[in-house]
């Protein structure tokens, strides 16, 4: 029983419990909170990609800094651990937790913005002898016309141009068009731009056949160039520049629910006399003009009205985006750094040396218990506060982080001595060569690359999974339950993680993770309910929990003891920073019009990728790397065996540690 409960590690377990509970209270709700404050999905994806990329500064700076400052601290050459050892690691970790609480809470103060869906008002085009006019329907009551400085140049696509009589009430201009041509059979004599200030001479006699209109087509003249619209033309792209109406002179137009934009250069449209005679009504005045149906005014390439849709905006979207981005970038640095430092604390505190076995997995299992309990509770509390649904999750995050920081600051008996003291025995100091940095650099880089790929696949799911839950009509509680589903199976797996990793092998754990990512992505790609999401999250024990403890154990062996914190920072940088950034970018490559359907296409692609990586990794490792790394068994140096026998801790039999499965490679003569 004493082996299962180490009183010296109780406070460390409590810190991990608070840390992971705080992370669980906020992490699944960050994608939803970004939309809640008014960011659109494109801006939210940008924040999700940028934040982890900058967050790597935390572990990248603090890891080497703590290792450098810890070298030689408390080294007296004796056999006892000096009082206050590990103080630097405890204080810096506590500061990271407090700053995480502060910056994530500041996200609640980001100014709110609201952007209603754009409405596309009707656009009309009319041209007479005095000029051409583009008229746009006013967006809504009390709203002003779209304005800009100077002239705005672009293209206006028109169709179905016809002659008629204009009036001050815009009666004829606003009449619906009865026919719209769909073919482009322009007559060669008019399929060009005529360089003339006036249209060419038009026939004055009555038509003798049905092609009469083709001989009297409307001419749209602008800046000395005339474009000819033919009856069978699908559309005519008219290049022009528009002047915005200036208040208050044009308020009369706005009062009639129309904004009138005049051309910047001289423009006119002349009506042939014979056509004018046809449209005149006896006893009525006529202002001869040409009207055209405007085609796709907001979608036409280089359209002059491309950004003139009606948008009802509350607040300042740019201010909201940049404020959120800056605070979020600063906030993500601290829990990422805290994860690396707590990983180093677990490795140091469990003291796996040549005389014993550590229990890193058991510490993480206790912390994962907080990750399983509190996310759904935070979501449920948020549902009860409809006006501020994310207040409780953010405050719970802050509370747990502060509690964890206080434990670190006030518990001076936490076993976090500096790495030199790991090798003290009753008979003195056992020397171990520290040349592993150069010797295992390639292997360290390879493992980091594997973790980067695994982090990419993890982020491809988790970065936007809350959006998928909401698109399936899920609730905040159900969003939190996705973390519970992934954490509960991890509890027994983490408790026996070291024995499992030692039996299966590090690389085989990674290969298994890639295989299960294929299963998770396949389930998400073809599942159409929340139940499928929960089932896929149950498999996270193979893709995240075991992967993470394996990475911690692997880097514990690969990196020399004086670089322990740096060694634990490397997997955090690879998996939760760079990999998370790439995964957020890939997972965000979905259509805004069909987010759920296009997300499933991305899931299918990532599922195939994960299966291919698993197959390649399996082949490379078992057919190439493992045989080359195999080495014959060799006896340890005599002075090591003498030291062990002197302490009564060995019977003379020696069993080297297994960095590779089945003892194919050995880093040294100690199990550490």
């Amino acid at each position: 029983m004493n082996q299962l409960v180490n009183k010296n590690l109780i406070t460390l377990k409590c810190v991990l419990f608070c840390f992971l509970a705080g992370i669980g209270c906020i992490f699944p709700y960050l994608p939803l909170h970004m939309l809640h404050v008014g960011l659109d999905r494109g801006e939210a994806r940008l924040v999700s990609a940028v934040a982890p990329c900058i967050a790597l500064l935390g572990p990248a700076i603090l890891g080497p800094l703590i290792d450098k400052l810890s070298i030689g601290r408390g080294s007296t050459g004796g056999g006892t651990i000096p009082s206050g050892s590990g103080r630097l690691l405890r204080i810096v970790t506590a500061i990271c937790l407090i700053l995480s609480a502060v910056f994530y809470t500041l996200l609640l103060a980001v100014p709110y913005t609201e952007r209603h869906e754009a409405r596309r008002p009707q656009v009309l085009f009319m041209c007479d002898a005095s000029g051409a006019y583009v008229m746009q329907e006013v967006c809504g009551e009390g709203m002003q016309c779209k304005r800009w400085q100077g002239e705005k140049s672009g293209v206006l696509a028109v169709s179905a141009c016809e002659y008629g009589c204009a009036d001050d009430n815009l009666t004829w201009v606003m009449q619906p068009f009865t026919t719209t041509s769909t073919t482009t059979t322009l007559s060669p004599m008019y399929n060009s731009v005529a360089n003339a200030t006036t249209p060419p001479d038009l026939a004055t006699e009555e038509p003798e056949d049905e092609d009469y209109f083709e001989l009297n087509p409307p001419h749209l003249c602008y800046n000395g160039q005339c474009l000819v619209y033919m009856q069978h033309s699908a559309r005519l792209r008219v290049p022009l520049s528009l002047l915005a109406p200036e208040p208050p002179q044009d308020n009369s137009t706005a009062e009639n629910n129309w904004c009138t934009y005049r051309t910047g250069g001289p423009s006119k449209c002349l009506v042939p006399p014979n056509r004018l005679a046809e449209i005149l009504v006896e006893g009525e005045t006529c202002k001869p003009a040409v009207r055209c149906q405007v085609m796709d005014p907001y979608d036409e390439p280089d359209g002059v009205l491309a950004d003139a849709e009606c948008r009802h905006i509350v607040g300042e979207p740019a201010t909201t985006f940049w404020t959120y981005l800056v605070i979020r970038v600063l906030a993500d640095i601290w829990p990422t750094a805290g994860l690396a430092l707590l990983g180093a604390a677990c490795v140091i505190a469990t003291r796996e040396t040549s005389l014993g076995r550590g229990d890193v997995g058991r510490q993480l299992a206790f912390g994962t218990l907080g990750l399983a309990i509190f996310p759904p509770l935070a979501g449920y509390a948020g549902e009860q506060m409809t006006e501020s649904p994310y207040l409780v999750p953010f405050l719970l995050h802050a509370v747990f982080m502060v509690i964890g920081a206080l434990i670190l600051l006030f518990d001076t008996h936490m076993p976090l001595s500096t790495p030199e003291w790991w090798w003290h025995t009753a008979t003195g100091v056992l020397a171990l060569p520290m040349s592993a940095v150069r010797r295992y650099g390639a292997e360290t880089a390879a493992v980091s690359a594997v973790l980067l790929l695994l982090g990419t696949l993890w982020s491809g799911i988790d970065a936007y999974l809350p959006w998928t839950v909401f698109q399936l009509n899920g609730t905040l509680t159900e969003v939190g339950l996705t973390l519970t589903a992934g954490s509960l199976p991890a509890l027994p797996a983490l408790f026996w993680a070291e024995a499992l990793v030692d039996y299966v092998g590090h690389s085989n754990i990674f290969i298994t993770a890639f295989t299960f990512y294929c299963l998770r992505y396949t389930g998400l790609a073809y599942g159409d309910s929340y139940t499928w999401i929960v089932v896929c999250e149950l498999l996270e024990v193979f893709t995240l929990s075991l992967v993470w403890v394996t990475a911690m154990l692997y880097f514990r062996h690969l990196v020399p003891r004086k670089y322990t914190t740096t060694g634990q920072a490397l997997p955090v940088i690879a998996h939760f920073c760079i990999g998370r950034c790439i995964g957020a970018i890939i997972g965000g490559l979905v259509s805004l019009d069909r987010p759920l359907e296009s997300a499933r296409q991305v899931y299918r692609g990532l599922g195939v990728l994960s299966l291919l990586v698993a197959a390649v990794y399996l082949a490379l490792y078992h057919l190439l790397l493992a045989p080359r790394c195999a080495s014959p068994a060799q006896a340890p140096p005599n002075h090591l065996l003498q030291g062990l026998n002197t302490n009564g801790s060995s019977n003379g039999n020696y069993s080297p540690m297994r960095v590779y499965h089945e003892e194919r490679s050995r880093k040294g003569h100690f199990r550490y």
Side-chain angles (χ1 to χ4, degrees):
M1 185 67 180
N2 292 332
Q3 295 178 352
L4 297 179
V5 179
N6 188 336
K7 294 182 179 180
N8 294 327
L9 299 178
I10 291 178
T11 52
L12 178 60
K13 289 183 174 69
C14 293
V15 172
L16 289 170
F17 180 90
C18 292
F19 177 78
L20 292 179
I23 292 297
C25 287
I26 199 172
F27 176 76
Y29 305 111
L30 286 175
L32 299 173
H33 182 255
M34 287 188 284
L35 302 182
H36 177 73
V37 300
L39 301 185
D40 59 34
R41 290 180 180 265
E43 293 170 338
R45 292 187 180 108
L46 181 60
V47 173
S48 299
V50 172
C53 186
I54 305 299
L56 65 84
L57 295 177
I61 294 176
L62 294 181
L65 181 63
I66 289 180
D67 285 335
K68 181 177 181 180
L69 296 178
S70 297
I71 294 177
R73 292 173 66 91
S75 298
T76 61
T80 60
I81 300 175
S83 61
S85 62
R87 181 182 304 168
L88 177 64
L89 180 59
R90 290 189 295 105
I91 292 177
V92 175
T93 306
I95 292 175
C96 289
L97 268 58
I98 292 174
L99 290 177
S100 176
V102 170
F103 279 102
Y104 278 116
T105 305
L106 285 177
L107 288 177
L108 294 173
V110 172
Y112 175 79
T113 186
E114 183 178 348
R115 288 174 281 198
H116 292 281
E117 184 125 358
R119 186 177 70 85
R120 301 190 165 194
Q122 184 180 0
V123 178
L124 305 175
F125 177 81
M126 187 185 74
C127 180
D128 55 28
S130 60
Y133 315 93
V134 176
M135 288 165 286
Q136 183 189 39
E137 185 182 7
V138 176
C139 290
E141 184 177 356
M143 299 185 67
Q144 300 294 325
C145 299
K146 181 77 174 181
R147 292 185 173 87
W148 51 79
Q149 295 293 330
E151 299 182 6
K152 184 179 181 182
S153 300
V155 174
L156 192 73
V158 298
S159 180
C161 296
E162 60 185 20
Y163 298 113
C165 289
D167 57 84
D168 295 337
N169 295 327
L170 305 178
T171 304
W172 169 70
V173 177
M174 290 188 292
Q175 288 179 356
F177 290 82
T178 56
T179 58
T180 302
S181 302
T182 58
T183 58
T184 55
T185 56
L186 294 179
S187 173
M189 63 179 297
Y190 294 118
N191 190 10
S192 62
V193 175
N195 293 318
T197 56
T198 59
D201 294 337
L202 301 177
T204 58
E205 298 181 358
E206 293 295 327
E208 297 181 356
D209 54 46
E210 59 182 0
D211 294 331
Y212 167 74
F213 188 85
E214 294 290 344
L215 300 177
N216 297 271
H219 287 61
L220 312 177
C221 299
Y222 178 73
N223 274 346
Q225 292 185 329
C226 293
L227 294 176
V228 182
Y229 176 78
M230 307 304 292
Q231 185 181 23
H232 301 291
S233 174
R235 69 174 58 206
L236 178 66
R237 286 169 53 89
V238 181
L240 46 76
S241 298
L242 296 181
L243 297 174
E246 298 182 4
Q249 289 82 358
D250 291 335
N251 280 348
S252 58
T253 305
E255 290 176 359
N256 294 328
N257 294 327
W258 291 91
C259 299
T260 300
Y261 301 91
R262 303 179 184 276
T263 57
S267 58
K268 62 180 179 180
C269 296
L270 299 180
V271 179
N274 54 342
R275 298 297 291 167
L276 181 60
E278 292 180 4
I279 61 178
L280 285 176
V281 178
E282 187 175 356
E284 293 185 4
T285 59
C286 178
K287 182 181 179 181
V290 175
R291 72 165 185 164
C292 298
Q293 183 178 10
V294 180
M295 308 293 290
D296 303 323
Y298 310 109
D299 298 323
E300 186 71 16
D302 303 322
V304 69
L305 296 177
D307 59 348
E309 302 100 325
C310 294
R311 295 183 182 272
H312 180 56
I313 299 176
V314 177
E316 295 291 338
T319 302
T320 299
F321 169 72
W322 287 108
T323 304
Y324 198 101
L325 177 63
V326 171
I327 297 177
R328 175 68 184 278
V329 165
L330 295 176
D332 275 19
I333 292 175
W334 308 113
T336 307
L339 179 61
L341 299 182
L342 287 174
C346 287
V347 171
I348 296 174
T350 52
R351 293 288 202 285
E352 188 194 25
T353 67
S354 60
L355 304 180
R357 172 177 291 278
D359 53 356
V360 172
R362 294 174 186 174
Q363 318 311 311
L364 296 178
F366 195 86
T368 304
L369 187 62
L371 193 64
I373 295 174
F374 288 98
L377 296 179
Y380 178 77
E383 289 177 11
Q384 311 311 310
M385 304 178 62
T386 55
E387 295 185 358
S388 302
Y390 302 99
L391 177 63
V392 174
F394 278 72
L395 292 182
L396 282 177
H397 168 80
V399 169
F400 280 118
M401 289 298 181
V402 171
I403 293 175
L406 292 177
I407 296 174
L408 287 168
L409 291 175
F410 289 102
D411 180 24
T412 59
H413 299 288
M414 192 177 295
L416 300 180
S417 61
T418 50
E420 289 87 344
W421 295 100
W422 296 18
W423 302 103
H424 284 291
T425 64
T427 59
V429 180
L430 295 175
L432 181 72
M434 303 299 286
S435 60
V437 175
R438 192 174 304 169
R439 182 178 177 185
Y440 295 99
E443 188 172 356
T444 301
V447 177
S448 298
V450 171
L451 289 174
L452 188 151
L453 289 174
L454 289 169
T456 299
L457 296 173
W458 168 77
S459 180
I461 295 176
D462 284 50
Y464 308 110
L465 187 64
W467 291 358
T468 303
V469 174
F470 261 52
Q471 288 164 1
L472 296 174
N473 299 319
T475 62
L476 290 178
T477 303
E478 290 176 335
V479 170
L481 284 173
T482 59
L483 266 72
T484 302
S487 301
L488 287 178
L491 296 177
L494 289 174
F495 193 83
W496 303 105
E498 293 204 44
L500 181 62
V501 173
D502 196 35
Y503 179 78
V504 176
H506 302 78
S507 294
N508 290 329
I509 293 288
F510 294 150
I511 294 170
T512 303
F514 283 113
T515 305
F516 274 94
Y517 266 122
C518 177
L519 296 178
R520 289 186 67 191
Y521 275 113
T522 302
L524 291 172
Y526 294 98
D528 56 356
S529 66
Y530 175 76
T531 303
W532 272 104
I533 294 179
V534 173
V535 171
C536 294
E537 286 300 295
L538 291 173
L539 302 179
E540 195 172 43
V541 60
F542 301 103
T543 59
L544 180 61
S545 302
L546 287 178
V547 163
W548 189 244
V549 71
T550 301
M552 291 179 62
L553 299 176
Y554 209 150
F555 278 87
R556 180 184 64 183
H557 293 307
L558 288 178
V559 178
R561 285 296 171 256
K562 63 180 179 180
Y563 302 128
T564 297
T565 313
T566 302
Q568 294 304 311
L570 290 177
V572 174
I573 293 172
H575 190 282
F576 290 107
C577 294
I578 302 177
R580 181 180 162 201
C581 172
I582 299 174
I585 294 174
I586 297 175
L589 298 178
V590 298
S591 171
L592 297 179
D593 298 329
R594 300 177 298 103
L596 190 58
E597 292 77 6
S598 56
R600 287 171 176 166
Q601 294 291 338
V602 175
Y603 289 156
R604 293 186 186 100
L606 290 175
V608 173
L609 174 64
S610 57
L611 184 61
L612 291 176
V613 173
V616 173
Y617 193 175
L618 179 67
L620 287 177
Y621 176 70
H622 285 284
L623 298 180
L624 180 63
L625 296 178
R628 292 185 59 185
C629 293
S631 59
Q634 54 183 346
N638 292 331
H639 72 279
L640 294 183
L641 286 178
Q642 292 174 0
L644 294 175
N645 289 328
T646 302
N647 289 279
S649 301
S650 173
N651 60 3
N653 296 327
Y654 175 69
S655 176
M657 68 147 251
R658 293 179 292 182
V659 173
Y660 293 102
H661 187 39
E662 297 177 356
E663 303 185 10
R664 287 175 177 148
S665 177
R666 300 165 180 81
K667 179 180 177 181
H669 298 289
F670 286 97
R671 179 189 295 276
Y672 55 81

